[in-house]
Amino acid sequence: MINRQLLNPESIVVIGGSNNMHKPGGAIVRNIMQGGYTGTLRIVNPKEDEVQGIKVFHSINEIPPTELAILVIPSKLCPDAVEQLVKEKETKAFIIISAGFGEETVEGAVMEEKILSLCKEHDAALIGPNCIGLLTSRHHSVFTKPIPNLNPQGVDFISGSGATAVFILESAVIKGLQFNSVWSVGNGKQIGIEDVLQYMDENFNPDTDSNVKLLYIENISNPDKLLFHASSLIRKGCRIAAIKAGSSESGSRAASSHTGAIASSDSAVEALFRKAGIVRCFSREELTTVGCIFTLPRLKGRNFAIVTHAGGPGVMLTDALSKGGLNVPKIEGEKADELKEKLFQGASVANPIDILATGTPEQLGIAIDYCEHEFKDIDAIMVIFGTPGLVKLYEAYDVLHKKIQESGKPIFPILPCLHTAGPEVAEFLSKGHVNFSDEVTLATALAQIMKTPEPASPEIELFGVDVPKIRKIIGNIKESGYVSPDVVRELFQSAGIPMVPEFVSNDKEGCLSFAAATGFPVVAKVVGPIHKSDVGGVVLNIRSKEHLEMEFDRLMGIPGATSVMIQKMIKGRELFIGAKYEPKFGHVVLCGMGGIFVEVLKDVSSGLAPLSYSEAFSMIHSLRGYKIIKGTRGQKGINEQKYAEIIVRLSTLLRFATEIKELDINPLLADENTITAVDARIRIDI
Amino acid sequence: MINRQLLNPESIVVIGGSNNMHKPGGAIVRNIMQGGYTGTLRIVNPKEDEVQGIKVFHSINEIPPTELAILVIPSKLCPDAVEQLVKEKETKAFIIISAGFGEETVEGAVMEEKILSLCKEHDAALIGPNCIGLLTSRHHSVFTKPIPNLNPQGVDFISGSGATAVFILESAVIKGLQFNSVWSVGNGKQIGIEDVLQYMDENFNPDTDSNVKLLYIENISNPDKLLFHASSLIRKGCRIAAIKAGSSESGSRAASSHTGAIASSDSAVEALFRKAGIVRCFSREELTTVGCIFTLPRLKGRNFAIVTHAGGPGVMLTDALSKGGLNVPKIEGEKADELKEKLFQGASVANPIDILATGTPEQLGIAIDYCEHEFKDIDAIMVIFGTPGLVKLYEAYDVLHKKIQESGKPIFPILPCLHTAGPEVAEFLSKGHVNFSDEVTLATALAQIMKTPEPASPEIELFGVDVPKIRKIIGNIKESGYVSPDVVRELFQSAGIPMVPEFVSNDKEGCLSFAAATGFPVVAKVVGPIHKSDVGGVVLNIRSKEHLEMEFDRLMGIPGATSVMIQKMIKGRELFIGAKYEPKFGHVVLCGMGGIFVEVLKDVSSGLAPLSYSEAFSMIHSLRGYKIIKGTRGQKGINEQKYAEIIVRLSTLLRFATEIKELDINPLLADENTITAVDARIRIDI
């Protein structure tokens, strides 16, 4: 529970504040003072009389009531301190910097629990323990450096790791990225990343609040909450990017050892981020680059003009944008010729616009103006401007500064000379700009943003899915494991998922009459063994009664066989839909083409149930082999609408049947008209 | 022609040297002087009497003989200056900084030609025109900044663009990368990138020469030369990385506009780099990161230990290494427990080894020692060490410095706090180290290095390829275009590439008897139209004489039909081999699986003819669908050895038949024993 006392305290006490700047207790007092905190700052330290010019209280007993307490004392002293503060000093907010709690020992976990209960009882907010603190324009309650420039329109940054937050800030300040707030949630005992997002969502004021959020996450403890508030914020106009560390198996091991986080399966994370509309990043550089892009006006299209005074970086940028699906359209015509006239001989305007190494600041401005006003199909402008050290760049960067202020189109500054033009770049950043020193890093981050979908609709597509019936079927299942084919069929019928006509029996005559009625050719499959094909349990294209009789006998002789399934033999392209229940996340639904596409090429895309139609289409479209679904030269495509419908219906079924832990429909057979599930397995835990 | 006078001149004259540091003529004199040039430095300037403390000659007439001349005067004055210098002043080397030559105008190209002839006549070396110059420890003959630290064991850097070279140096100096030489070849009129490599190759001394080369290339003017000398240098122990800008279609447009370079097709570049063993980079950041990695001891394996005092970056690094096919193996056992004892409570040694934020320099050293001496399956150590600003890092970085000096395993320093720990990082770099400030950028660059193959053998596999016969067949072809099926068959026979038995005729009876002799079922195809399938010109599985008669008549009725081809009907998995002649590069050979794999999934890999067996295997193995070739559950693979053999034989055929501009074998049909070409097209330009 985030409260006013945490965000905007009238008084702060640092328990353990000191004169030693090499210790957190000294550094945090210095940061609060240098941060211009305007309330009353108190310090408790039994061994000092004065700390950094402030008179010190020797014990908590002595202080007047104080709204926010920051604890930088050994962990074993924290529970008593919290108790005294909430009970005697009306303290309603805590930032516990100290480590040595649940992340280290069982005793630590017990202390942490006690502190949590005390805060709960007294309606107090708790950040930490085991964190670097909280940094806002009101109070700089962190013990670390660097302190980035603060600005209400800067970035809100929430981190699950204090040290990583520091390193991300290092990467950010070099780029000029400014911050509105930095939250290090530490062990997140009361307030985790999801809770900070919830607060920001529920209290969002579009006129005053920052609309950029960056997250560093090691453990998604409440995926639903993250999804709900992240997508809600994005719908309100915010932009969110996040690192979820621990995507590899070895990486997960590292994450577990770090904060006791149990890593979620990566495909669930990927699906969650896509559903929420969160831009996924994989490095500090990428996160801070995306953050810088988010502070610029929003892109309205994919067409970029590149204005450069050096050919090479323009070419590399063009290559990288193209690779990311973005365009550097050719610029030509009357207006282009006009611009060329205003540049030096040898300049090029075809895009990249190369004003040459000798290009002047004035020419830079003119080129930007043409991109802004004259070249109609340009959505954004990238400006590459460095120096070989002959002249200072103040004038050129001043032109760039003015154009960025005036321009309706986003302008991306790429200023590569951090060494030779260090002071000029610094002055440019001091005017509130960001800088992308490497053009390819920028292009890659942009591509990552552009491929992130909008948040999915939170509504569940219910029509045609008979939820009460589904619950009844599930309720009748008495033991865990793979359910029988007739239960699969009933569940699919209740969800409106078409299955091939089939008949399951251990009675040969029954099977023969079903085959006669549905019409040959038919397929016969053994029921019982899980991997039917491996035991020779699937026979296709049975064309006669006699053949079926023979195969029936053979199939019933396979070890584990309980009966035989007869299906109408249909043809079509093989599709696949699968689902897996991830604890806390819910069902991850996978789709793709069957056979080698799933097994060899791993060409599947994932979504988190329940899925909307637009999500299902987005999943289908993101398959590498999508062209085959669409139809290629000489080959008809399949009914995409129906495929999406089955994915949506299945995801709704799953949403109301969380007992289903694994589900495979493999294959579905599809043509341009219909799609039919041919074989399916469902595993249930009850 | 690179000569002693260029590399190690006893005297240098700067024609156009000045006092204005904002002009190249002033800056280059300053750089040469500050660079400690020990020979005689002369300056010619008609308007000055003294420049930067040096007495000035007012014309070239006045100077004594001088070995190296640097020209920073208007382009139109250059030809006469060169003429006078070579004829009267025994000048044997030129660096022409001035622009305004072939890159701008036709008149400029004429002047450039004249200068080239003069240099040729008088055995003089020529760098430029239109360049930033040449930087070595002997003389800093560049007009630009930054000047990186020079070191005989530093990097040799050759750039096709001066401005880009400057920006790459910016990215390099921040990382601490040191240089042995920087070559800006400008228009490369006499000495291009390939020529510098040739010189380095032919004069390579493993004891004294730098073994790292970085290249920035906009135009590969002589692919054979690049291939020959790059792979030769790599075989001698060098390591080479390069950017070839202009890989996208839009990027190529930019490259053309920049230096008049005609972009080579990107797959040819990719194939050339792989053949040579050059690590391909796509950004300045990547190139300089790879350069830094190259200055460390060579990796002997793929197993990394990560020593960190912050969990998050360790996790992100682990994720990125895993993604790149590198390992962060779990560390456990007695020695691991022993190390854990020496760290603070809560530390983890499972790998990443997290010594905690409170970890001391001593503990850092201990952890590195364990990775070096005790953990046997560790090939390299990555150390992440930053600071939240409480303490200075001199001591920790000193430990790191000592361990890097002592260690037999490569140690990668990841020091993220460029802002807060700026001075400490600078001191660390000043000891000759490099720094990777972003761990994921490092991991990505490492993966790029690890996936680059060794240089291919330069020998051509000739056995069984009848070159005289191939030349005779080609010599008999009288017109350009697609050759007839029987010529295709003859060429393939000469190269030992098996084709399905077939018969081509417009005589129905002949076709019928061939079919009877080879045995039904057969395939009938129309000959004449290029896209046979699109016009209904392919009939599979013809099982009887009567059916074949009917189809023969129908096929001959298709517009453009000249005859009918009858083939034995065979079965198998479809493979594809294609080739395209790229001017200057030679034949790019593509291989992959047929059908959707080529057409939809674009799953092809490329090589440059002639190909060795190991190259062919490397091409096959790098296919995404390679598992299918190898065989998957329930499906036998194909004869990989035979597939490689056909690729090698075809590439040898192409090497001796450069008249072939395009070639497709689509499909070849393959099973676990044999591979047979079923359909092939060859286009020839004579």
Side-chain angles (χ1 to χ4, degrees):
Chain A
M1 52 155 300
I2 293 166
N3 55 24
R4 197 268 308 152
Q5 290 86 348
L6 177 67
L7 294 174
N8 192 12
E10 289 177 7
S11 51
I12 298 178
V13 59
V14 179
I15 312 290
S18 87
N19 280 316
N20 184 349
M21 303 302 170
H22 301 311
K23 300 274 181 185
I28 203 164
V29 171
R30 176 201 61 206
N31 283 349
I32 294 171
M33 289 173 65
Q34 288 181 353
Y37 172 60
T38 53
T40 307
L41 177 61
R42 302 186 178 110
I43 289 164
V44 171
N45 184 331
K47 296 177 191 159
E48 301 275 359
D49 292 328
E50 193 180 284
V51 160
Q52 301 183 44
I54 299 178
K55 197 182 154 295
V56 165
F57 299 91
H58 289 128
S59 78
I60 295 173
N61 285 331
E62 297 170 12
I63 61 168
T66 306
E67 292 190 339
L68 167 65
I70 299 169
L71 274 58
V72 263
I73 49 177
S75 56
K76 61 179 192 297
L77 303 177
C78 288
D80 288 347
V82 171
E83 185 161 13
Q84 196 177 2
L85 285 159
V86 288
K87 289 189 173 161
E88 299 169 16
K89 303 298 176 186
E90 299 165 37
T91 303
K92 292 292 178 198
F94 291 89
I95 297 173
I96 304 186
I97 303 293
S98 324
F101 288 90
E103 82 283 4
E104 281 186 15
T105 59
V106 177
E107 300 76 45
V110 172
M111 293 192 292
E112 211 169 322
E113 276 305 329
K114 186 176 174 199
I115 291 169
L116 182 66
S117 312
L118 286 164
C119 289
K120 200 172 166 190
E121 269 169 46
H122 295 85
D123 287 334
L126 169 62
I127 295 283
N130 184 24
C131 69
I132 65 167
L134 172 63
L135 173 67
T136 73
S137 57
R138 303 285 186 183
H139 57 105
H140 295 194
S141 298
V142 293
F143 71 88
T144 54
K145 281 186 187 173
I147 303 290
N149 286 337
L150 291 166
N151 177 341
Q153 288 312 305
V155 166
D156 287 315
F157 171 41
I158 316 168
S159 178
S161 156
T164 311
V166 167
F167 297 170
I168 288 170
L169 290 172
E170 287 280 348
S171 161
V173 293
I174 286 175
K175 298 182 176 63
L177 187 59
Q178 304 200 8
F179 286 77
N180 177 53
S181 68
V182 176
W183 299 71
S184 162
V185 300
N187 294 358
K189 199 64 198 171
Q190 185 200 62
I191 299 172
I193 291 173
E194 295 89 341
D195 305 290
V196 180
L197 276 183
Q198 176 180 15
Y199 181 86
M200 289 175 174
D201 180 26
E202 291 173 353
N203 297 278
F204 186 69
N205 179 340
D207 297 326
T208 56
D209 286 3
S210 161
N211 65 2
V212 180
K213 321 285 171 199
L214 301 182
L215 317 177
Y216 172 79
I217 308 174
E218 294 193 341
N219 176 26
I220 300 178
S221 53
N222 194 336
D224 276 349
K225 200 170 188 176
L226 178 62
L227 172 62
F228 185 86
H229 294 294
S231 49
S232 167
L233 279 164
I234 294 170
R235 275 188 224 99
K236 290 173 184 170
C238 290
R239 315 181 76 182
I240 304 183
I243 295 173
K244 163 67 180 75
S247 64
S248 65
E249 209 195 310
S250 327
S252 301
R253 184 179 67 234
S256 307
S257 70
H258 181 45
T259 52
I262 293 157
S264 322
S265 146
D266 195 58
S267 62
V269 173
E270 187 71 29
L272 175 72
F273 278 25
R274 284 183 68 83
K275 197 178 190 71
I278 297 171
V279 176
R280 187 163 190 194
C281 297
F282 292 90
S283 71
R284 296 183 284 117
E285 271 301 296
E286 194 178 13
L287 185 71
T288 53
T289 303
V290 167
C292 287
I293 296 170
F294 279 171
T295 65
L296 301 180
R298 200 177 281 254
L299 274 171
K300 298 209 175 84
R302 292 174 172 261
N303 291 337
F304 292 84
I306 298 170
V307 179
T308 180
H309 72 153
V315 181
M316 289 187 275
L317 178 54
T318 305
D319 287 344
L321 288 169
S322 302
K323 202 183 278 181
L326 305 170
N327 311 321
V328 183
K330 186 161 188 176
I331 295 175
E332 54 194 343
E334 210 178 297
K335 288 292 175 186
D337 297 340
E338 197 179 290
L339 171 60
K340 202 171 156 70
E341 283 300 309
K342 298 181 178 178
L343 303 177
F344 289 134
Q345 188 164 27
S348 164
V349 297
N351 204 12
I353 298 169
D354 186 347
I355 66 170
L356 301 180
T358 46
T360 63
E362 193 198 348
Q363 288 172 330
L364 172 67
I366 293 170
I368 295 174
D369 284 344
Y370 269 79
C371 295
E372 164 86 6
H373 301 295
E374 307 296 351
F375 304 144
K376 296 303 174 201
D377 61 343
I378 294 300
D379 301 303
I381 307 160
M382 294 181 155
V383 175
I384 304 172
F385 213 94
T387 176
L390 296 179
V391 290
K392 294 290 173 194
L393 293 177
Y394 293 109
E395 204 186 331
Y397 290 176
D398 200 46
V399 167
L400 189 55
H401 162 64
K402 289 195 179 110
K403 295 299 170 193
I404 291 173
Q405 286 188 311
E406 292 164 8
S407 174
K409 295 176 181 176
I411 297 179
F412 296 80
I414 299 162
L415 316 181
C417 298
L418 300 186
H419 188 267
T420 303
E424 296 102 301
V425 173
E427 197 205 59
F428 177 77
L429 297 183
S430 76
K431 292 175 184 164
H433 301 297
V434 293
N435 174 32
F436 305 91
S437 65
D438 186 75
E439 54 280 348
V440 174
T441 307
L442 165 61
T444 309
L446 259 175
Q448 193 67 4
I449 293 172
M450 299 300 269
K451 79 175 199 196
T452 305
E454 294 292 303
S457 156
E459 273 145 47
I460 301 179
E461 304 273 0
L462 267 183
F463 59 92
V465 177
D466 186 343
V467 177
K469 193 167 164 208
I470 289 169
R471 291 312 312 159
K472 198 173 155 201
I473 298 167
I474 299 278
N476 283 337
I477 298 171
K478 296 301 170 212
E479 59 181 293
S480 295
Y482 284 98
V483 303
S484 67
D486 52 312
V487 174
V488 172
R489 179 164 293 266
E490 281 180 57
L491 283 169
F492 282 12
Q493 264 169 358
S494 314
I497 297 169
M499 279 203 85
V500 68
E502 68 178 24
F503 179 80
V504 179
S505 174
N506 57 6
D507 168 48
K508 194 195 288 188
E509 285 311 313
C511 289
L512 290 173
S513 19
F514 173 80
T518 197
F520 287 98
V522 296
V523 179
K525 296 177 186 172
V526 68
V527 175
I530 295 299
H531 294 292
K532 298 181 177 75
S533 300
D534 292 357
V535 294
V538 179
V539 193
L540 304 176
N541 214 18
I542 300 174
R543 295 182 171 273
S544 69
K545 179 167 173 287
E546 293 69 30
H547 189 187
L548 179 57
E549 280 190 272
M550 193 187 77
E551 293 291 356
F552 180 90
D553 294 339
R554 191 181 64 76
L555 291 173
M556 286 300 288
I558 292 174
T562 57
S563 50
V564 170
M565 175 193 286
I566 312 294
Q567 288 178 330
K568 189 168 172 55
M569 171 93 183
I570 55 171
K571 288 192 170 179
R573 186 167 281 287
E574 287 190 13
L575 300 175
F576 161 86
I577 302 178
K580 187 166 180 283
Y581 184 81
E582 286 291 336
K584 301 196 287 186
F585 283 77
H587 288 98
V588 179
V589 178
L590 305 172
C591 79
M593 281 175 291
I596 53 151
F597 285 92
V598 169
E599 286 161 27
V600 179
L601 302 174
K602 314 285 179 209
D603 185 17
V604 291
S605 49
S606 62
L608 206 59
L611 293 162
S612 66
Y613 271 90
S614 71
E615 285 178 275
F617 279 117
S618 154
M619 285 167 69
I620 296 169
H621 294 168
S622 67
L623 292 168
R624 289 202 303 273
Y626 169 63
K627 273 194 192 161
I628 296 168
I629 288 177
K630 210 175 149 200
T632 52
R633 200 181 81 171
Q635 292 269 340
K636 280 191 176 158
I638 64 128
N639 187 331
E640 214 177 306
Q641 173 69 33
K642 278 259 189 267
Y643 192 22
E645 183 185 326
I646 293 175
I647 294 170
V648 170
R649 285 176 178 273
L650 184 83
S651 79
T652 307
L653 159 66
L654 292 166
R655 179 68 185 77
F656 293 99
T658 49
E659 297 87 349
I660 296 179
K661 298 308 170 199
E662 276 178 73
L663 178 150
D664 269 349
I665 317 183
N666 191 17
L668 300 97
L669 289 176
D671 60 26
E672 66 272 31
N673 301 311
T674 59
I675 303 185
T676 313
V678 172
D679 204 353
R681 299 192 296 149
I682 294 179
R683 190 174 66 73
I684 275 188
D685 264 5
I686 49 172
Chain B
M1 51 154 304
I2 293 167
N3 55 24
R4 197 268 307 151
Q5 289 85 350
L6 177 67
L7 293 174
N8 192 12
E10 288 176 8
S11 51
I12 299 178
V13 58
V14 179
I15 314 289
S18 87
N19 280 315
N20 185 348
M21 304 302 170
H22 300 312
K23 300 275 182 187
I28 203 164
V29 171
R30 176 200 61 206
N31 284 349
I32 293 171
M33 289 173 65
Q34 288 181 354
Y37 173 61
T38 54
T40 308
L41 177 61
R42 303 188 176 108
I43 289 164
V44 171
N45 186 330
K47 295 178 190 159
E48 300 275 0
D49 292 327
E50 193 180 285
V51 161
Q52 301 183 45
I54 298 179
K55 195 180 158 298
V56 165
F57 299 90
H58 287 129
S59 78
I60 293 173
N61 286 331
E62 297 169 13
I63 61 169
T66 306
E67 293 191 338
L68 167 64
I70 300 169
L71 273 59
V72 264
I73 49 178
S75 56
K76 62 178 191 297
L77 304 177
C78 288
D80 287 347
V82 170
E83 186 161 12
Q84 195 176 4
L85 285 159
V86 289
K87 290 187 173 163
E88 299 168 16
K89 302 298 175 185
E90 299 166 35
T91 303
K92 292 290 179 199
F94 290 90
I95 297 171
I96 304 186
I97 305 294
S98 324
F101 289 91
E103 81 284 3
E104 280 185 17
T105 59
V106 177
E107 300 76 46
V110 172
M111 293 191 290
E112 212 170 321
E113 276 304 328
K114 185 175 174 199
I115 291 170
L116 182 66
S117 310
L118 286 164
C119 289
K120 201 173 167 191
E121 270 168 44
H122 294 84
D123 287 334
L126 169 62
I127 295 283
N130 185 23
C131 69
I132 64 167
L134 172 64
L135 173 67
T136 73
S137 57
R138 303 285 186 181
H139 58 106
H140 295 195
S141 297
V142 292
F143 71 88
T144 53
K145 284 185 186 173
I147 302 291
N149 286 336
L150 291 166
N151 178 340
Q153 289 311 304
V155 166
D156 288 314
F157 171 39
I158 316 167
S159 178
S161 156
T164 311
V166 167
F167 297 170
I168 288 171
L169 290 173
E170 287 280 347
S171 161
V173 293
I174 286 175
K175 297 181 177 64
L177 187 58
Q178 304 200 8
F179 286 77
N180 176 53
S181 68
V182 176
W183 299 70
S184 163
V185 301
N187 293 359
K189 199 62 198 172
Q190 184 200 63
I191 300 171
I193 291 173
E194 295 88 340
D195 304 291
V196 181
L197 275 184
Q198 177 181 14
Y199 182 86
M200 289 174 175
D201 180 25
E202 290 173 352
N203 297 278
F204 186 69
N205 179 341
D207 297 327
T208 56
D209 286 5
S210 161
N211 66 0
V212 180
K213 322 283 170 201
L214 301 183
L215 317 176
Y216 173 79
I217 308 173
E218 293 191 343
N219 175 26
I220 301 178
S221 52
N222 193 336
D224 275 349
K225 202 172 189 175
L226 177 63
L227 172 62
F228 185 86
H229 294 294
S231 49
S232 167
L233 279 164
I234 294 170
R235 275 187 224 101
K236 289 173 183 171
C238 290
R239 315 181 75 183
I240 305 183
I243 295 173
K244 164 66 180 75
S247 65
S248 65
E249 210 195 311
S250 326
S252 300
R253 184 179 67 234
S256 307
S257 69
H258 180 46
T259 52
I262 294 156
S264 323
S265 145
D266 196 57
S267 61
V269 174
E270 186 71 29
L272 175 71
F273 278 26
R274 284 183 68 82
K275 197 178 190 71
I278 297 171
V279 176
R280 186 162 190 194
C281 298
F282 292 90
S283 71
R284 296 183 284 117
E285 271 300 296
E286 195 178 12
L287 184 71
T288 54
T289 303
V290 167
C292 288
I293 295 171
F294 279 171
T295 65
L296 301 180
R298 200 178 281 256
L299 273 171
K300 298 208 175 85
R302 294 175 171 261
N303 291 336
F304 292 83
I306 299 170
V307 179
T308 180
H309 71 154
V315 182
M316 289 186 275
L317 178 54
T318 305
D319 288 345
L321 287 170
S322 302
K323 203 183 274 179
L326 306 171
N327 310 321
V328 184
K330 186 161 188 178
I331 294 175
E332 54 193 344
E334 210 178 296
K335 287 293 175 184
D337 296 340
E338 197 179 289
L339 170 60
K340 201 170 156 72
E341 282 302 309
K342 298 180 179 178
L343 304 176
F344 289 134
Q345 188 164 27
S348 165
V349 297
N351 203 11
I353 298 169
D354 185 348
I355 67 169
L356 301 180
T358 47
T360 63
E362 194 199 347
Q363 289 172 330
L364 172 65
I366 293 170
I368 294 173
D369 284 344
Y370 269 79
C371 295
E372 164 85 7
H373 302 295
E374 308 294 351
F375 302 145
K376 296 302 175 201
D377 61 343
I378 294 301
D379 301 302
I381 307 160
M382 295 181 153
V383 176
I384 304 172
F385 214 94
T387 176
L390 295 180
V391 290
K392 294 290 173 193
L393 292 177
Y394 293 108
E395 204 186 332
Y397 290 176
D398 200 46
V399 167
L400 189 54
H401 161 64
K402 290 195 178 111
K403 295 300 170 192
I404 291 173
Q405 286 189 309
E406 293 164 7
S407 174
K409 296 177 181 175
I411 297 179
F412 296 80
I414 299 162
L415 316 182
C417 297
L418 300 186
H419 188 267
T420 303
E424 296 103 301
V425 173
E427 198 206 58
F428 178 76
L429 297 184
S430 76
K431 292 175 183 163
H433 300 298
V434 294
N435 175 31
F436 306 92
S437 65
D438 186 75
E439 54 280 347
V440 174
T441 307
L442 165 61
T444 310
L446 258 176
Q448 193 69 2
I449 293 172
M450 299 300 270
K451 79 174 198 197
T452 304
E454 292 294 302
S457 156
E459 272 144 47
I460 300 179
E461 304 273 359
L462 268 183
F463 60 90
V465 177
D466 186 343
V467 176
K469 193 166 165 207
I470 289 168
R471 290 310 314 158
K472 197 173 154 201
I473 298 166
I474 300 278
N476 284 336
I477 298 172
K478 296 301 170 213
E479 59 181 292
S480 295
Y482 284 100
V483 303
S484 67
D486 52 312
V487 173
V488 172
R489 179 165 292 266
E490 280 180 58
L491 284 169
F492 281 13
Q493 262 167 0
S494 314
I497 299 169
M499 280 203 85
V500 68
E502 68 179 25
F503 179 80
V504 180
S505 176
N506 57 6
D507 167 49
K508 195 195 286 188
E509 285 313 312
C511 290
L512 289 172
S513 16
F514 174 80
T518 197
F520 288 99
V522 297
V523 179
K525 296 177 188 172
V526 69
V527 175
I530 294 298
H531 294 291
K532 299 180 176 74
S533 300
D534 292 358
V535 293
V538 178
V539 193
L540 303 175
N541 215 17
I542 300 175
R543 296 182 169 272
S544 68
K545 179 168 173 287
E546 293 69 29
H547 188 185
L548 179 56
E549 281 190 274
M550 194 187 77
E551 293 292 356
F552 180 90
D553 293 340
R554 191 181 63 76
L555 291 172
M556 286 301 287
I558 292 174
T562 58
S563 50
V564 170
M565 176 193 285
I566 311 296
Q567 288 179 331
K568 188 168 174 54
M569 170 93 184
I570 55 170
K571 287 191 169 178
R573 186 166 281 288
E574 286 190 12
L575 299 176
F576 161 87
I577 302 179
K580 186 166 181 281
Y581 184 79
E582 287 290 337
K584 300 195 288 186
F585 283 78
H587 288 99
V588 179
V589 178
L590 305 172
C591 80
M593 281 175 291
I596 53 152
F597 286 92
V598 169
E599 285 161 27
V600 179
L601 301 174
K602 313 286 180 209
D603 184 17
V604 291
S605 50
S606 62
L608 206 58
L611 293 162
S612 66
Y613 270 90
S614 71
E615 286 178 276
F617 279 116
S618 154
M619 285 168 68
I620 296 170
H621 295 167
S622 67
L623 292 169
R624 289 203 303 272
Y626 169 63
K627 273 194 193 162
I628 297 167
I629 288 178
K630 210 175 149 199
T632 52
R633 201 181 81 172
Q635 292 269 341
K636 279 191 176 156
I638 63 129
N639 187 332
E640 212 177 306
Q641 174 69 32
K642 278 258 189 269
Y643 192 22
E645 183 185 325
I646 293 174
I647 293 170
V648 170
R649 284 175 179 274
L650 185 82
S651 79
T652 306
L653 159 66
L654 292 166
R655 179 69 187 72
F656 293 99
T658 49
E659 297 86 349
I660 297 179
K661 299 308 171 199
E662 276 178 72
L663 177 150
D664 268 350
I665 317 183
N666 192 16
L668 300 98
L669 289 176
D671 60 26
E672 66 271 31
N673 301 311
T674 59
I675 303 185
T676 313
V678 173
D679 205 353
R681 300 192 295 149
I682 294 179
R683 190 173 66 74
I684 276 189
D685 263 5
I686 50 172

